[in-house]
Structures are given as C-alpha cells and as structure tokens.
Amino acid sequence: MSRSPGRKQENHKISRELFVLTYGALVAQLCKDYEKDEDVNTCLDRMGYSIGIRLIDDFLARSAVKKCRSYSETVDMIAQVAFKMYVGVTPTVSCNSAAGNEFSLILDKNPLVDFVDELPAERASLCYCNLLCGVIRGALEMVHLAAEVTFLQDRLKGDAVTEIGITFLRKPEDRKHRRN
C-alpha cells in the first residue's frame, strides 16, 4: 500500500499492561512445559539474552549515551537510562565489592509483577522475572562486557525488595585495548 506524502508514520507502542499480561502468560506456559523451575529459569534467561543482544542497538541509537569509562558508570547507565526507557522504573544502584565489579540494582517496584500476588508453593525456586537478567547479560556482552546477572532478592518470594546482582567478570584493566 502506498502512503500519502503528508501522512506521518505512526509509532505503535504496546501498552505496559498488555506486555505484563503477555509476559505472565508466557511464564505460565513455560511452567506447564517444564516440570523443573530451573528449566523455566534457564529458558527465561535465554530468551532475555536473545532480546538483550538485539536491544542494545536500539538503546544506543535512541539514548545517544557516551562511552562509559567504568563499571559504576555502566551500571548507572543501565539503571537511570535503560530501565527508565524500557521498563519505566529507575532502580537504586549499590556497589557490593571493594574491587568495584559487583553491583546491585534494587527495584522498589517491578512492573513485570503488577498482576502477580505470589508464586505457588510448588514453584518456590522459580525466578519469575529472570528474563531481565538475560536482557542485561546479553546487552552487556554486545558491548564486550562479560557479566554474571542473577536475582539476589525477589518480592514474589517474600523479600522486602527486588534486587538484581551484576558481577563483571573481568578486571577493569583487562578491558583496555592496545593501540597499534
């Protein structure tokens, strides 16, 4: 179909509620498909990783951020720009190590669990939002930062907050590239 020259292309955005409900249906289906919570967690992490390796291009194009010089700058960028842009919340950042390679993103409100009261007792080891860990890990890997990303606390499991831990796997001096 042809477009009339004066007509602007419309931006179609999915509503947050529809996304959250769809995500809930995805997790419910994975719980039906897999007996073990570990398998569901792995599947969600893999899905998130695939999203993260593709999402980083959109993030870099839309945010126009400058190169981060340290792990703390990187985590601040994830919290203040990326989470705000894609999830609609801004987590608090805390550094968990003297080496400066372990950080926590603390979410007072997690929009992915808006319609979830609690996990069923038989799914106690399920990381419902493990997709987020995969997204962060995939995006970081695409900018050449190897990291381990895990849930440290989860409100769905009775914790006071939701906390995502990020551990960078290389020392900062290992990241420097030699110039020829």
PDB file of all heavy atoms in Angstrom, residues 101-129:
ATOM      1  N   ASN A 101      33.476  -4.334  41.081  1.00  0.00           N
ATOM      2  CA  ASN A 101      32.941  -5.091  39.957  1.00  0.00           C
ATOM      3  C   ASN A 101      31.624  -5.797  40.283  1.00  0.00           C
ATOM      4  O   ASN A 101      31.085  -6.507  39.457  1.00  0.00           O
ATOM      5  CB  ASN A 101      33.967  -6.109  39.454  1.00  0.00           C
ATOM      6  CG  ASN A 101      34.193  -7.243  40.430  1.00  0.00           C
ATOM      7  OD1 ASN A 101      34.160  -7.057  41.648  1.00  0.00           O
ATOM      8  ND2 ASN A 101      34.430  -8.425  39.907  1.00  0.00           N
ATOM      9  N   GLU A 102      31.091  -5.591  41.491  1.00  0.00           N
ATOM     10  CA  GLU A 102      29.808  -6.192  41.874  1.00  0.00           C
ATOM     11  C   GLU A 102      28.835  -5.086  42.271  1.00  0.00           C
ATOM     12  O   GLU A 102      29.137  -4.261  43.129  1.00  0.00           O
ATOM     13  CB  GLU A 102      30.000  -7.157  43.044  1.00  0.00           C
ATOM     14  CG  GLU A 102      30.842  -8.362  42.700  1.00  0.00           C
ATOM     15  CD  GLU A 102      31.022  -9.295  43.886  1.00  0.00           C
ATOM     16  OE1 GLU A 102      30.197  -9.247  44.821  1.00  0.00           O
ATOM     17  OE2 GLU A 102      32.002 -10.056  43.873  1.00  0.00           O
ATOM     18  N   PHE A 103      27.663  -5.115  41.639  1.00  0.00           N
ATOM     19  CA  PHE A 103      26.666  -4.083  41.869  1.00  0.00           C
ATOM     20  C   PHE A 103      25.292  -4.712  42.036  1.00  0.00           C
ATOM     21  O   PHE A 103      25.058  -5.839  41.592  1.00  0.00           O
ATOM     22  CB  PHE A 103      26.615  -3.114  40.684  1.00  0.00           C
ATOM     23  CG  PHE A 103      27.902  -2.376  40.463  1.00  0.00           C
ATOM     24  CD1 PHE A 103      28.907  -2.917  39.682  1.00  0.00           C
ATOM     25  CD2 PHE A 103      28.108  -1.140  41.047  1.00  0.00           C
ATOM     26  CE1 PHE A 103      30.094  -2.246  39.482  1.00  0.00           C
ATOM     27  CE2 PHE A 103      29.289  -0.453  40.852  1.00  0.00           C
ATOM     28  CZ  PHE A 103      30.291  -1.006  40.075  1.00  0.00           C
ATOM     29  N   SER A 104      24.408  -3.966  42.655  1.00  0.00           N
ATOM     30  CA  SER A 104      23.017  -4.380  42.781  1.00  0.00           C
ATOM     31  C   SER A 104      22.111  -3.309  42.213  1.00  0.00           C
ATOM     32  O   SER A 104      22.350  -2.119  42.403  1.00  0.00           O
ATOM     33  CB  SER A 104      22.640  -4.602  44.249  1.00  0.00           C
ATOM     34  OG  SER A 104      23.232  -5.759  44.745  1.00  0.00           O
ATOM     35  N   LEU A 105      21.097  -3.756  41.512  1.00  0.00           N
ATOM     36  CA  LEU A 105      20.010  -2.888  41.072  1.00  0.00           C
ATOM     37  C   LEU A 105      18.818  -3.232  41.955  1.00  0.00           C
ATOM     38  O   LEU A 105      18.343  -4.365  41.940  1.00  0.00           O
ATOM     39  CB  LEU A 105      19.660  -3.141  39.604  1.00  0.00           C
ATOM     40  CG  LEU A 105      20.751  -2.880  38.575  1.00  0.00           C
ATOM     41  CD1 LEU A 105      20.279  -3.304  37.199  1.00  0.00           C
ATOM     42  CD2 LEU A 105      21.145  -1.417  38.574  1.00  0.00           C
ATOM     43  N   ILE A 106      18.367  -2.262  42.736  1.00  0.00           N
ATOM     44  CA  ILE A 106      17.286  -2.509  43.684  1.00  0.00           C
ATOM     45  C   ILE A 106      16.025  -1.830  43.171  1.00  0.00           C
ATOM     46  O   ILE A 106      15.982  -0.606  43.020  1.00  0.00           O
ATOM     47  CB  ILE A 106      17.655  -2.006  45.087  1.00  0.00           C
ATOM     48  CG1 ILE A 106      18.925  -2.735  45.553  1.00  0.00           C
ATOM     49  CG2 ILE A 106      16.507  -2.212  46.057  1.00  0.00           C
ATOM     50  CD1 ILE A 106      19.587  -2.135  46.751  1.00  0.00           C
ATOM     51  N   LEU A 107      15.022  -2.649  42.896  1.00  0.00           N
ATOM     52  CA  LEU A 107      13.758  -2.144  42.365  1.00  0.00           C
ATOM     53  C   LEU A 107      12.727  -2.113  43.485  1.00  0.00           C
ATOM     54  O   LEU A 107      12.385  -3.159  44.047  1.00  0.00           O
ATOM     55  CB  LEU A 107      13.246  -3.057  41.250  1.00  0.00           C
ATOM     56  CG  LEU A 107      14.084  -3.084  39.983  1.00  0.00           C
ATOM     57  CD1 LEU A 107      14.672  -4.451  39.775  1.00  0.00           C
ATOM     58  CD2 LEU A 107      13.238  -2.691  38.825  1.00  0.00           C
ATOM     59  N   ASP A 108      12.252  -0.916  43.815  1.00  0.00           N
ATOM     60  CA  ASP A 108      11.180  -0.802  44.799  1.00  0.00           C
ATOM     61  C   ASP A 108       9.867  -1.293  44.196  1.00  0.00           C
ATOM     62  O   ASP A 108       9.016  -1.822  44.895  1.00  0.00           O
ATOM     63  CB  ASP A 108      11.024   0.647  45.262  1.00  0.00           C
ATOM     64  CG  ASP A 108      12.241   1.106  46.056  1.00  0.00           C
ATOM     65  OD1 ASP A 108      12.820   0.288  46.801  1.00  0.00           O
ATOM     66  OD2 ASP A 108      12.619   2.282  45.921  1.00  0.00           O
ATOM     67  N   LYS A 109       9.734  -1.101  42.896  1.00  0.00           N
ATOM     68  CA  LYS A 109       8.533  -1.542  42.172  1.00  0.00           C
ATOM     69  C   LYS A 109       8.984  -2.242  40.898  1.00  0.00           C
ATOM     70  O   LYS A 109       9.788  -1.708  40.154  1.00  0.00           O
ATOM     71  CB  LYS A 109       7.664  -0.332  41.838  1.00  0.00           C
ATOM     72  CG  LYS A 109       6.377  -0.680  41.130  1.00  0.00           C
ATOM     73  CD  LYS A 109       5.456   0.507  41.087  1.00  0.00           C
ATOM     74  CE  LYS A 109       4.200   0.316  40.300  1.00  0.00           C
ATOM     75  NZ  LYS A 109       3.728  -0.975  39.981  1.00  0.00           N
ATOM     76  N   ASN A 110       8.483  -3.430  40.687  1.00  0.00           N
ATOM     77  CA  ASN A 110       8.803  -4.200  39.496  1.00  0.00           C
ATOM     78  C   ASN A 110       7.539  -4.326  38.651  1.00  0.00           C
ATOM     79  O   ASN A 110       6.629  -5.075  39.000  1.00  0.00           O
ATOM     80  CB  ASN A 110       9.329  -5.585  39.890  1.00  0.00           C
ATOM     81  CG  ASN A 110       9.732  -6.426  38.700  1.00  0.00           C
ATOM     82  OD1 ASN A 110       9.509  -6.051  37.562  1.00  0.00           O
ATOM     83  ND2 ASN A 110      10.307  -7.574  38.970  1.00  0.00           N
ATOM     84  N   PRO A 111       7.459  -3.611  37.542  1.00  0.00           N
ATOM     85  CA  PRO A 111       6.235  -3.622  36.739  1.00  0.00           C
ATOM     86  C   PRO A 111       5.893  -4.984  36.131  1.00  0.00           C
ATOM     87  O   PRO A 111       4.745  -5.222  35.785  1.00  0.00           O
ATOM     88  CB  PRO A 111       6.489  -2.588  35.653  1.00  0.00           C
ATOM     89  CG  PRO A 111       7.914  -2.242  35.716  1.00  0.00           C
ATOM     90  CD  PRO A 111       8.469  -2.715  36.997  1.00  0.00           C
ATOM     91  N   LEU A 112       6.853  -5.879  36.005  1.00  0.00           N
ATOM     92  CA  LEU A 112       6.552  -7.199  35.436  1.00  0.00           C
ATOM     93  C   LEU A 112       5.689  -8.051  36.355  1.00  0.00           C
ATOM     94  O   LEU A 112       5.125  -9.043  35.917  1.00  0.00           O
ATOM     95  CB  LEU A 112       7.846  -7.954  35.106  1.00  0.00           C
ATOM     96  CG  LEU A 112       8.638  -7.461  33.908  1.00  0.00           C
ATOM     97  CD1 LEU A 112       9.865  -8.331  33.691  1.00  0.00           C
ATOM     98  CD2 LEU A 112       7.788  -7.431  32.654  1.00  0.00           C
ATOM     99  N   VAL A 113       5.582  -7.673  37.615  1.00  0.00           N
ATOM    100  CA  VAL A 113       4.801  -8.475  38.561  1.00  0.00           C
ATOM    101  C   VAL A 113       3.537  -7.749  39.021  1.00  0.00           C
ATOM    102  O   VAL A 113       2.968  -8.094  40.054  1.00  0.00           O
ATOM    103  CB  VAL A 113       5.662  -8.915  39.773  1.00  0.00           C
ATOM    104  CG1 VAL A 113       6.814  -9.779  39.313  1.00  0.00           C
ATOM    105  CG2 VAL A 113       6.151  -7.735  40.572  1.00  0.00           C
ATOM    106  N   ASP A 114       3.084  -6.761  38.254  1.00  0.00           N
ATOM    107  CA  ASP A 114       1.902  -5.986  38.630  1.00  0.00           C
ATOM    108  C   ASP A 114       0.674  -6.865  38.886  1.00  0.00           C
ATOM    109  O   ASP A 114      -0.135  -6.554  39.751  1.00  0.00           O
ATOM    110  CB  ASP A 114       1.560  -4.962  37.551  1.00  0.00           C
ATOM    111  CG  ASP A 114       2.411  -3.708  37.657  1.00  0.00           C
ATOM    112  OD1 ASP A 114       3.164  -3.574  38.630  1.00  0.00           O
ATOM    113  OD2 ASP A 114       2.317  -2.857  36.742  1.00  0.00           O
ATOM    114  N   PHE A 115       0.531  -7.940  38.138  1.00  0.00           N
ATOM    115  CA  PHE A 115      -0.659  -8.769  38.255  1.00  0.00           C
ATOM    116  C   PHE A 115      -0.373 -10.113  38.920  1.00  0.00           C
ATOM    117  O   PHE A 115      -1.155 -11.048  38.796  1.00  0.00           O
ATOM    118  CB  PHE A 115      -1.281  -8.986  36.872  1.00  0.00           C
ATOM    119  CG  PHE A 115      -1.654  -7.692  36.199  1.00  0.00           C
ATOM    120  CD1 PHE A 115      -0.987  -7.254  35.067  1.00  0.00           C
ATOM    121  CD2 PHE A 115      -2.675  -6.894  36.698  1.00  0.00           C
ATOM    122  CE1 PHE A 115      -1.318  -6.057  34.451  1.00  0.00           C
ATOM    123  CE2 PHE A 115      -3.011  -5.697  36.086  1.00  0.00           C
ATOM    124  CZ  PHE A 115      -2.336  -5.279  34.955  1.00  0.00           C
ATOM    125  N   VAL A 116       0.752 -10.211  39.634  1.00  0.00           N
ATOM    126  CA  VAL A 116       1.126 -11.446  40.314  1.00  0.00           C
ATOM    127  C   VAL A 116       1.160 -11.166  41.807  1.00  0.00           C
ATOM    128  O   VAL A 116       1.889 -10.277  42.258  1.00  0.00           O
ATOM    129  CB  VAL A 116       2.516 -11.952  39.850  1.00  0.00           C
ATOM    130  CG1 VAL A 116       2.888 -13.229  40.563  1.00  0.00           C
ATOM    131  CG2 VAL A 116       2.544 -12.139  38.344  1.00  0.00           C
ATOM    132  N   ASP A 117       0.390 -11.916  42.571  1.00  0.00           N
ATOM    133  CA  ASP A 117       0.388 -11.733  44.021  1.00  0.00           C
ATOM    134  C   ASP A 117       1.539 -12.479  44.674  1.00  0.00           C
ATOM    135  O   ASP A 117       2.292 -11.927  45.448  1.00  0.00           O
ATOM    136  CB  ASP A 117      -0.938 -12.188  44.617  1.00  0.00           C
ATOM    137  CG  ASP A 117      -2.090 -11.284  44.196  1.00  0.00           C
ATOM    138  OD1 ASP A 117      -1.853 -10.069  44.010  1.00  0.00           O
ATOM    139  OD2 ASP A 117      -3.211 -11.790  44.045  1.00  0.00           O
ATOM    140  N   GLU A 118       1.649 -13.764  44.360  1.00  0.00           N
ATOM    141  CA  GLU A 118       2.721 -14.582  44.915  1.00  0.00           C
ATOM    142  C   GLU A 118       2.896 -15.818  44.042  1.00  0.00           C
ATOM    143  O   GLU A 118       2.008 -16.183  43.270  1.00  0.00           O
ATOM    144  CB  GLU A 118       2.446 -14.977  46.351  1.00  0.00           C
ATOM    145  CG  GLU A 118       1.183 -15.792  46.535  1.00  0.00           C
ATOM    146  CD  GLU A 118       0.871 -16.095  47.987  1.00  0.00           C
ATOM    147  OE1 GLU A 118       1.228 -15.297  48.858  1.00  0.00           O
ATOM    148  OE2 GLU A 118       0.257 -17.157  48.230  1.00  0.00           O
ATOM    149  N   LEU A 119       4.057 -16.441  44.175  1.00  0.00           N
ATOM    150  CA  LEU A 119       4.326 -17.665  43.425  1.00  0.00           C
ATOM    151  C   LEU A 119       3.661 -18.839  44.127  1.00  0.00           C
ATOM    152  O   LEU A 119       3.595 -18.869  45.367  1.00  0.00           O
ATOM    153  CB  LEU A 119       5.837 -17.913  43.342  1.00  0.00           C
ATOM    154  CG  LEU A 119       6.650 -16.891  42.555  1.00  0.00           C
ATOM    155  CD1 LEU A 119       8.134 -17.213  42.661  1.00  0.00           C
ATOM    156  CD2 LEU A 119       6.225 -16.855  41.103  1.00  0.00           C
ATOM    157  N   PRO A 120       3.177 -19.815  43.364  1.00  0.00           N
ATOM    158  CA  PRO A 120       2.617 -21.009  44.004  1.00  0.00           C
ATOM    159  C   PRO A 120       3.701 -21.723  44.818  1.00  0.00           C
ATOM    160  O   PRO A 120       4.878 -21.666  44.495  1.00  0.00           O
ATOM    161  CB  PRO A 120       2.171 -21.878  42.823  1.00  0.00           C
ATOM    162  CG  PRO A 120       2.191 -20.995  41.629  1.00  0.00           C
ATOM    163  CD  PRO A 120       3.105 -19.868  41.921  1.00  0.00           C
ATOM    164  N   ALA A 121       3.306 -22.393  45.877  1.00  0.00           N
ATOM    165  CA  ALA A 121       4.249 -23.084  46.771  1.00  0.00           C
ATOM    166  C   ALA A 121       5.109 -24.090  46.016  1.00  0.00           C
ATOM    167  O   ALA A 121       6.295 -24.243  46.298  1.00  0.00           O
ATOM    168  CB  ALA A 121       3.496 -23.765  47.903  1.00  0.00           C
ATOM    169  N   GLU A 122       4.544 -24.744  45.027  1.00  0.00           N
ATOM    170  CA  GLU A 122       5.303 -25.750  44.263  1.00  0.00           C
ATOM    171  C   GLU A 122       6.299 -25.114  43.283  1.00  0.00           C
ATOM    172  O   GLU A 122       7.102 -25.805  42.676  1.00  0.00           O
ATOM    173  CB  GLU A 122       4.370 -26.714  43.527  1.00  0.00           C
ATOM    174  CG  GLU A 122       3.511 -26.097  42.437  1.00  0.00           C
ATOM    175  CD  GLU A 122       2.196 -25.489  42.914  1.00  0.00           C
ATOM    176  OE1 GLU A 122       1.956 -25.424  44.136  1.00  0.00           O
ATOM    177  OE2 GLU A 122       1.414 -25.078  42.040  1.00  0.00           O
ATOM    178  N   ARG A 123       6.269 -23.808  43.139  1.00  0.00           N
ATOM    179  CA  ARG A 123       7.187 -23.081  42.261  1.00  0.00           C
ATOM    180  C   ARG A 123       8.087 -22.137  43.059  1.00  0.00           C
ATOM    181  O   ARG A 123       8.429 -21.046  42.606  1.00  0.00           O
ATOM    182  CB  ARG A 123       6.400 -22.282  41.212  1.00  0.00           C
ATOM    183  CG  ARG A 123       5.662 -23.132  40.199  1.00  0.00           C
ATOM    184  CD  ARG A 123       6.662 -23.798  39.295  1.00  0.00           C
ATOM    185  NE  ARG A 123       5.996 -24.575  38.268  1.00  0.00           N
ATOM    186  CZ  ARG A 123       6.617 -25.189  37.300  1.00  0.00           C
ATOM    187  NH1 ARG A 123       7.923 -25.135  37.218  1.00  0.00           N
ATOM    188  NH2 ARG A 123       5.969 -25.881  36.415  1.00  0.00           N
ATOM    189  N   ALA A 124       8.509 -22.561  44.218  1.00  0.00           N
ATOM    190  CA  ALA A 124       9.286 -21.710  45.134  1.00  0.00           C
ATOM    191  C   ALA A 124      10.640 -21.281  44.571  1.00  0.00           C
ATOM    192  O   ALA A 124      11.144 -20.222  44.907  1.00  0.00           O
ATOM    193  CB  ALA A 124       9.482 -22.428  46.469  1.00  0.00           C
ATOM    194  N   SER A 125      11.238 -22.080  43.689  1.00  0.00           N
ATOM    195  CA  SER A 125      12.557 -21.714  43.151  1.00  0.00           C
ATOM    196  C   SER A 125      12.466 -21.040  41.775  1.00  0.00           C
ATOM    197  O   SER A 125      13.482 -20.812  41.133  1.00  0.00           O
ATOM    198  CB  SER A 125      13.470 -22.940  43.092  1.00  0.00           C
ATOM    199  OG  SER A 125      12.909 -23.930  42.271  1.00  0.00           O
ATOM    200  N   LEU A 126      11.261 -20.701  41.345  1.00  0.00           N
ATOM    201  CA  LEU A 126      11.075 -20.005  40.066  1.00  0.00           C
ATOM    202  C   LEU A 126      11.527 -18.555  40.183  1.00  0.00           C
ATOM    203  O   LEU A 126      11.176 -17.857  41.135  1.00  0.00           O
ATOM    204  CB  LEU A 126       9.599 -20.045  39.659  1.00  0.00           C
ATOM    205  CG  LEU A 126       9.220 -19.281  38.386  1.00  0.00           C
ATOM    206  CD1 LEU A 126       9.833 -19.944  37.162  1.00  0.00           C
ATOM    207  CD2 LEU A 126       7.710 -19.197  38.251  1.00  0.00           C
ATOM    208  N   CYS A 127      12.349 -18.117  39.259  1.00  0.00           N
ATOM    209  CA  CYS A 127      12.722 -16.691  39.148  1.00  0.00           C
ATOM    210  C   CYS A 127      11.829 -16.095  38.071  1.00  0.00           C
ATOM    211  O   CYS A 127      12.173 -16.090  36.884  1.00  0.00           O
ATOM    212  CB  CYS A 127      14.199 -16.533  38.788  1.00  0.00           C
ATOM    213  SG  CYS A 127      15.307 -16.952  40.116  1.00  0.00           S
ATOM    214  N   TYR A 128      10.666 -15.604  38.484  1.00  0.00           N
ATOM    215  CA  TYR A 128       9.627 -15.155  37.572  1.00  0.00           C
ATOM    216  C   TYR A 128      10.140 -14.126  36.558  1.00  0.00           C
ATOM    217  O   TYR A 128       9.776 -14.164  35.393  1.00  0.00           O
ATOM    218  CB  TYR A 128       8.467 -14.576  38.389  1.00  0.00           C
ATOM    219  CG  TYR A 128       7.289 -14.129  37.573  1.00  0.00           C
ATOM    220  CD1 TYR A 128       6.324 -15.051  37.172  1.00  0.00           C
ATOM    221  CD2 TYR A 128       7.117 -12.798  37.204  1.00  0.00           C
ATOM    222  CE1 TYR A 128       5.232 -14.658  36.427  1.00  0.00           C
ATOM    223  CE2 TYR A 128       6.032 -12.393  36.457  1.00  0.00           C
ATOM    224  CZ  TYR A 128       5.095 -13.321  36.064  1.00  0.00           C
ATOM    225  OH  TYR A 128       4.020 -12.932  35.317  1.00  0.00           O
ATOM    226  N   CYS A 129      10.978 -13.212  36.984  1.00  0.00           N
ATOM    227  CA  CYS A 129      11.468 -12.139  36.110  1.00  0.00           C
ATOM    228  C   CYS A 129      12.875 -12.400  35.599  1.00  0.00           C
ATOM    229  O   CYS A 129      13.616 -11.457  35.287  1.00  0.00           O
ATOM    230  CB  CYS A 129      11.420 -10.805  36.847  1.00  0.00           C
ATOM    231  SG  CYS A 129       9.748 -10.321  37.277  1.00  0.00           S
TER     232      CYS A 129
END
